[in-house]
Amino acid sequence: MNIFHDLSSLPPEFALKGAAVAVGNFDGVHIGHRRLLNELLGVACKRDLVPVVLTFFPHPRHFFGDPADTPQITSQAKKMALLAETGVACAIVLPFNQELADMEAETFVRGILAGNLRARAVVIGENASLGKDKRGNYALLRALGRQLAGEGAGQGFSVRAVPRLRAGQQAVSSGLIRELIQTGRMVEAA
């Protein structure tokens, strides 16, 4: 898996083929994330797109608050290794800084997803949000993907929101896994 830390060094393959992009933090690359990534790989294969994970470092919660309040499940290096195991072609790790924190969702979608990454398909978790004040959600992404398609120049994209995986009565999430680890419930966390 190729790992990029900025948008200026992306290979020309993005412009030629376009990308299927999964956006998220992917802390722990747990079974819920793997379900989303399997969806990404399926869409990419079906549409002959480059499967790409777009993630952030540091975790946005670490940027806005005390990292001790949201301990990482895995290190950044381990996260990249786990992502590579899934078969994703490349990961783009954007630095989560003030500029990104202040970016409006529409600017993020138009500039980064549709512009830099040439996204033709976007795969997110059903509860995902992006952009300033978390205003970008499935509905906004879908509307912008259609709007861009209508504007021509091959910039539109489809959006798939993957439902949360449930384990019994609980939705699988990084937050739940952190809680289980912090309370010593390692078997449940696994």
Side-chain angles (χ1 to χ4, degrees):
M1 176 178 77
N2 294 312
I3 301 171
F4 301 94
H5 294 280
D6 63 63
L7 298 169
S8 64
S9 60
L10 299 177
E13 184 178 18
F14 283 84
L16 298 174
K17 290 180 82 168
V21 182
V23 182
N25 287 303
F26 300 100
D27 187 16
V29 192
H30 56 67
I31 58 173
H33 293 143
R34 289 176 185 268
R35 180 181 189 189
L36 188 146
L37 295 169
N38 283 337
E39 182 72 25
L40 170 75
L41 292 168
V43 168
C45 181
K46 184 177 181 180
R47 295 183 53 194
D48 194 30
L49 300 170
V50 180
V52 176
V53 169
L54 177 60
T55 190
F56 312 95
F57 187 80
H59 192 295
R61 289 184 183 172
H62 292 185
F63 177 80
F64 288 114
D66 184 355
D69 292 340
T70 309
Q72 286 185 242
I73 297 170
T74 58
S75 68
Q76 186 68 6
K78 181 66 174 175
K79 177 169 92 170
M80 292 299 111
L82 291 169
L83 286 171
E85 288 176 7
T86 69
V88 172
C90 73
I92 299 167
V93 183
L94 292 183
F96 198 87
N97 54 27
Q98 195 63 52
E99 179 182 1
L100 201 55
D102 290 340
M103 189 177 291
E104 295 292 340
E106 185 169 343
T107 303
F108 182 89
V109 170
R110 286 181 176 275
I112 295 175
L113 290 178
N116 295 100
L117 300 182
R118 310 296 282 177
R120 298 297 170 259
V122 175
V123 180
I124 57 171
E126 69 179 353
N127 63 330
S129 60
L130 53 87
K132 184 177 181 181
D133 299 324
K134 298 182 177 183
R135 291 185 196 139
N137 57 19
Y138 170 75
L140 178 75
L141 280 168
R142 188 168 168 230
L144 287 171
R146 288 180 173 175
Q147 182 181 0
L148 287 164
E151 293 173 9
Q155 289 191 38
F157 54 84
S158 63
V159 182
R160 168 87 168 106
V162 177
R164 292 181 94 173
L165 183 65
R166 300 195 71 76
Q169 300 291 10
Q170 296 182 307
V172 175
S173 70
S174 297
L176 172 62
I177 293 169
R178 275 187 209 95
E179 178 185 319
L180 293 171
I181 291 169
Q182 288 173 335
T183 57
R185 295 157 58 194
M186 302 306 284
V187 172
E188 289 177 75

